[in-house]
Amino acid sequence: MTDVPITDLRPLLAVLVSFVAAFFIVASYRSPNVREGWTIAAAVAKFAIVASMLPAVLDGAVFEWSLGAFLPGIEFVLRADALGMLFAFLASGLWIVTSFYSIGYMRGNDETNQTRYFAAFAVSLSATMGIAFAGNLVTIFVFYEILSIATYPLVAHDETDEARAAGRKYLAYTMFGGGVLVLAGTALVYLIAGNVSFTAGGIQELANADPGLAMLAFFLLAIGFGVKAGIMPLHQWLPEAMVAPTPVSGLLHAVAVVKSGAFGVSRVVLDVFGPELVFDLSLPFGFSAGLVLSTIGAITLTAASIIALRKDHLKQRLAYSTVSQLSYIILGLGLFGWYGLVGALLHIPAHAFMKLTLFFCAGNLHVSTHTDYISEMAGIGKRMPLTMGAFTVASLGMAGIPLLAGFVSKYYMLIGGVRMGAELTPVAYYLVGALLLSGVLNIAYFWPVIYTAFFEAEDAHDAKPLVDFRMGGESRSTLAATDGGREADDAATDGGRPEDEDGEEDDEADIDEVVESAEGDSAVDAGDAESDDAEVPDDSDIPDAEMDDLPTDEDGVVRPDFDTSDRDFSEPAERVDTGDYAVDQRPSDADVPFGVGRSDDDDGGGSEPDRVGDDAGRGETAHDDTTHADHDDHGHAGGPPAGGWEHVAGLDALRGRESTWFMLAPILTAMSLAVLLGVIPYEMGFLELIELIVDTRLPEEVMRP
């Protein structure tokens, strides 16, 4: 291994390339093709710069570029070592994939402020590279805060009250919360050690410092970085941030933000305190600092998995899945031993590939069908076969099924926990139990999505909850008409449950008698009205009223309003445009193929009454209020269109009928990477790089078995 770092400009270039590209992106705002060309060019250039350093780093070299000292003994330095290269290589490679996906998503969803979006995205990746190549705690803190600022416009992109609130919470947690803790921990380390530079195996002076102060500094830094990693109870910003566009969710959950938090904790454990000191810092009841860290991870991954079970909104379920999966990394970093650390670091790329696939699939479902809720996805697998097939593969990987990336990383952590329990402390056995339980819970919250998509039919959909109480998820379909509004249905807001049919027959008979009586009384007026038939629309042309427009009591039960007025009830009521309809807020929704407002023989977006009627047929009031209050995705109508989902065969999907290849290609690429990492982790370079990292940071007596 090279003891002296090689002075090289490439770490700095890797940081600057996308920052410079952001200016060209803004300057090209009048030409979307040129603007997005700058995005792709910057992503490819960044990856090329990072990849050019990888062979030498695998041989033990370290590239460094210093911008000078700004405090005594503290330089603003960028250093490309093995641990930094792991994060930088992953983030720069996935930025290329995400850039192509962003083009398809932003254009397909007709998003506003796209120039600001791509510029903020580029600056975020510059900050991510700075975090990866930071040479000390001060440098990583600076880029940590820049990342929070740069990603705020992405979280608040939609500029709704909900988006702005999510952005404020994101800044409050990550910048003013986590950032302050990191700064305090950095200052304390400098006070007791006089050094904040990252050193393989830990800063030696900390081992001789006061154990109480060292313990305090460790938890300040670990919790400060852990805020971005979503550890409980500091995770609330992360589900709230799902209001952002789906590529941003992919950036937050798979590429940059949460990974920067997990990477920061990795730096603290491996290069500030060192694995040995983290295990030796003792606490009462036989716990060490590392075991406390692992216990926090175990609690978080179990609790987040249970919460994910009850989330009907797909992105919300994936958000809590991220909280759970990131805690695997935190848990593994607290396992003192070769296997545990290898598994923790390998889960960084494994989770990135799998979770990016899942979010890309969720975004494609949203753009192509406006379906965001799992209870509305019955049979959607025949409409989106490639998307849901990739979702299934990634879900299996998240659950730890063999031959996929998640299995390899979790296998290493399980072996590490067992060995630690047998050789050092029995507490590690409980951590192993948490890992196994979380694997079962992963299956529990992903299986309903897969089952609903492939094995349920629109006209016989009961949403298949895991268990028959609230924690199990949606107990029935949230669609007003479960098959998309076929003639055989009565548009029952409860999904047309069979047990209600008998009780409704008598009521319908009474209603028919009242209607016939009223028609008989008005027969005299029928002749006078014949001359006006051309101006009075037919009943079938009048859209159904939105359920939101009906008067309800405080419990949400519809109550008729008998208030009298001067209105002439022989004329249809004037429709009040509240702006709550999907077609009002997103005019492009009507132009999505096979989406809301499109029929099989319709060339355009359909007439306005047709679209409104379709929206009203499955209005938001049919949804469970507590679930949809978590994330009301801008009023988009979802679920199957009238007549049910169109079947798209495999060959037709490959020809682009399912979605655009700007979105399908990134989905299949991310899925393929998850498979390859599970089958050939060495050949991809990640496992070789991780073994180099761990081998240089553990003492000789606990080296590779």
Side-chain angles (χ1 to χ4, degrees):
M1 171 173 287
T2 303
D3 294 326
V4 180
I6 302 171
T7 301
D8 197 290
L9 193 61
R10 280 177 287 182
L12 178 62
L13 292 178
V15 174
L16 290 180
V17 63
S18 55
F19 183 76
V20 173
F23 290 94
F24 290 99
I25 290 171
V26 173
S28 305
Y29 72 97
R30 294 183 181 275
S31 179
N33 291 335
V34 175
R35 176 192 65 201
E36 289 152 14
W38 284 117
T39 299
I40 299 298
V44 173
K46 184 185 292 289
F47 179 72
I49 293 170
V50 174
S52 68
M53 295 185 285
L54 182 61
V57 171
L58 286 172
D59 290 334
V62 176
F63 297 94
E64 181 177 291
W65 183 264
S66 176
L67 299 179
F70 58 92
L71 285 175
I74 301 177
E75 290 184 282
F76 194 87
V77 61
L78 297 172
R79 181 182 295 121
D81 60 359
L83 182 55
M85 185 61 65
L86 171 67
F87 187 34
F89 187 65
L90 174 70
S92 61
L94 290 182
W95 187 35
I96 300 175
V97 180
T98 307
S99 295
F100 280 104
Y101 182 87
S102 294
I103 295 171
Y105 182 93
M106 300 301 283
R107 292 193 179 191
N109 211 37
D110 195 24
E111 292 283 350
T112 58
N113 299 313
Q114 294 188 26
T115 298
R116 183 185 67 191
Y117 166 88
F118 284 106
F121 218 115
V123 176
S124 298
L125 264 295
S126 285
T128 302
M129 289 299 106
I131 291 173
F133 292 145
N136 54 51
L137 284 171
V138 173
T139 307
I140 199 173
F141 166 75
V142 171
F143 285 109
Y144 187 85
E145 297 294 77
I146 292 175
L147 180 62
S148 297
I149 297 171
T151 48
Y152 170 79
L154 299 175
V155 175
H157 175 82
D158 286 340
E159 298 183 357
T160 62
D161 292 339
E162 183 183 8
R164 290 191 178 97
R168 289 193 296 269
K169 179 174 285 190
Y170 169 67
L171 285 182
Y173 273 78
T174 62
M175 186 174 182
F176 301 110
V180 169
L181 292 178
V182 171
L183 181 60
T186 300
L188 188 55
V189 169
Y190 183 72
L191 177 66
I192 62 179
N195 181 18
V196 293
S197 297
F198 295 141
T199 306
I203 300 172
Q204 186 62 39
E205 290 81 0
L206 286 174
N208 302 320
D210 179 77
L213 289 176
M215 180 78 74
L216 177 60
F218 173 77
F219 281 111
L220 284 173
L221 290 170
I223 295 175
F225 286 115
V227 171
K228 266 193 169 71
I231 60 171
M232 288 186 170
L234 305 174
H235 69 289
Q236 282 296 329
W237 69 268
L238 200 150
E240 294 286 340
M242 289 301 95
V243 70
T246 302
V248 177
S249 300
L251 170 75
L252 293 174
H253 291 257
V255 181
V257 177
V258 295
K259 286 299 187 302
S260 71
F263 177 77
V265 177
S266 302
R267 280 292 194 191
V268 171
V269 172
L270 299 175
D271 289 351
V272 177
F273 289 84
E276 187 174 19
L277 179 59
V278 170
F279 181 74
D280 289 339
L281 287 174
S282 299
L283 287 169
F285 307 106
F287 279 86
S288 67
L291 285 176
V292 171
L293 187 68
S294 292
T295 302
I296 294 173
I299 295 172
T300 299
L301 67 89
T302 304
S305 296
I306 294 174
I307 295 173
L309 286 172
R310 63 174 295 177
K311 294 299 178 183
D312 188 37
H313 194 283
L314 183 57
K315 283 178 67 176
Q316 285 280 315
R317 184 168 295 199
L318 294 179
Y320 279 98
S321 171
T322 296
V323 175
S324 174
Q325 293 291 327
L326 264 293
S327 295
Y328 279 94
I329 302 171
I330 304 301
L331 188 154
L333 289 171
L335 296 175
F336 182 61
W338 189 85
Y339 282 105
L341 293 177
V342 168
L345 295 178
L346 187 58
H347 201 64
I348 293 177
H351 174 263
F353 296 146
M354 295 181 296
K355 186 50 63 73
L356 197 63
T357 302
L358 294 172
F359 272 109
F360 281 178
C361 291
N364 201 18
L365 291 174
H366 175 76
V367 171
S368 299
T369 69
H370 297 296
T371 302
D372 300 314
Y373 294 93
I374 300 166
S375 56
E376 296 178 354
M377 292 183 182
I380 203 171
K382 67 183 180 183
R383 166 66 180 87
M384 309 286 289
L386 293 179
T387 299
M388 292 310 302
F391 188 96
T392 301
V393 172
S395 299
L396 295 175
M398 298 288 280
I401 302 301
L403 300 182
L404 295 170
F407 169 77
V408 182
S409 58
K410 293 180 182 181
Y411 171 79
Y412 274 98
M413 280 186 275
L414 284 171
I415 298 299
V418 171
R419 290 175 66 92
M420 186 176 177
E423 299 173 3
L424 298 174
T425 172
V427 176
Y429 287 127
Y430 296 100
L431 303 178
V432 172
L435 287 171
L436 294 173
L437 175 61
S438 178
V440 175
L441 293 174
N442 272 273
I443 296 174
Y445 63 72
F446 278 122
W447 172 246
V449 185
I450 300 169
Y451 183 90
T452 300
F454 288 108
F455 302 107
E456 286 276 359
E458 301 97 309
D459 54 356
H461 178 34
D462 60 3
K464 285 293 185 297
L466 178 69
V467 288
D468 289 330
F469 55 89
R470 185 68 188 88
M471 189 60 74
E474 290 292 331
S475 61
R476 53 186 168 79
S477 170
T478 60
L479 291 175
T482 57
D483 63 351
R486 291 175 180 160
E487 294 178 359
D489 284 329
D490 296 320
T493 56
D494 62 355
R497 289 178 291 178
E499 60 266 25
D500 295 337
E501 293 179 358
D502 295 338
E504 292 177 354
E505 289 180 358
D506 295 337
D507 295 338
E508 291 174 359
D510 295 339
I511 293 172
D512 290 341
E513 292 178 2
V514 173
V515 171
E516 290 174 1
S517 174
E519 289 176 349
D521 293 340
S522 61
V524 178
D525 299 331
D528 297 337
E530 288 178 357
S531 60
D532 298 330
D533 283 346
E535 299 178 0
V536 179
D538 185 74
D539 289 345
S540 61
D541 295 331
I542 300 175
D544 295 333
E546 278 278 24
M547 294 296 291
D548 288 337
D549 296 335
L550 296 179
T552 59
D553 61 15
E554 58 184 9
D555 296 324
V557 179
V558 176
R559 303 291 186 191
D561 186 2
F562 295 103
D563 183 30
T564 59
S565 66
D566 296 330
R567 174 188 156 196
D568 182 4
F569 287 93
S570 64
E571 297 294 332
E574 180 181 358
R575 178 177 177 269
V576 178
D577 186 359
T578 63
D580 292 334
Y581 300 102
V583 293
D584 294 329
Q585 297 193 16
R586 303 286 188 197
S588 63
D589 287 357
D591 299 326
V592 177
F594 316 114
V596 175
R598 293 294 296 268
S599 59
D600 294 338
D601 57 352
D602 189 8
D603 294 330
S607 63
E608 180 71 14
D610 290 337
R611 294 198 298 272
V612 174
D614 194 46
D615 289 345
R618 43 184 175 271
E620 284 294 330
T621 52
H623 295 293
D624 179 80
D625 292 335
T626 58
T627 301
H628 286 208
D630 292 338
H631 185 84
D632 180 17
D633 200 12
H634 315 296
H636 281 275
W645 300 113
E646 176 179 347
H647 179 73
V648 177
L651 291 178
D652 291 334
L654 292 174
R655 295 188 184 103
R657 285 195 60 195
E658 174 180 326
S659 180
T660 67
W661 275 104
F662 269 106
M663 301 183 73
L664 281 178
I667 289 173
L668 298 179
T669 300
M671 181 201 72
S672 300
L673 291 172
V675 174
L676 291 174
L677 187 61
V679 178
I680 51 171
Y682 274 105
E683 286 73 7
M684 292 189 71
F686 286 105
L687 191 53
E688 182 181 359
L689 190 61
I690 289 167
E691 289 182 352
L692 173 64
I693 295 169
V694 177
D695 287 342
T696 56
R697 285 158 173 82
L698 282 176
E700 293 183 1
E701 58 270 19
V702 288
M703 290 288 287
R704 184 187 313 196

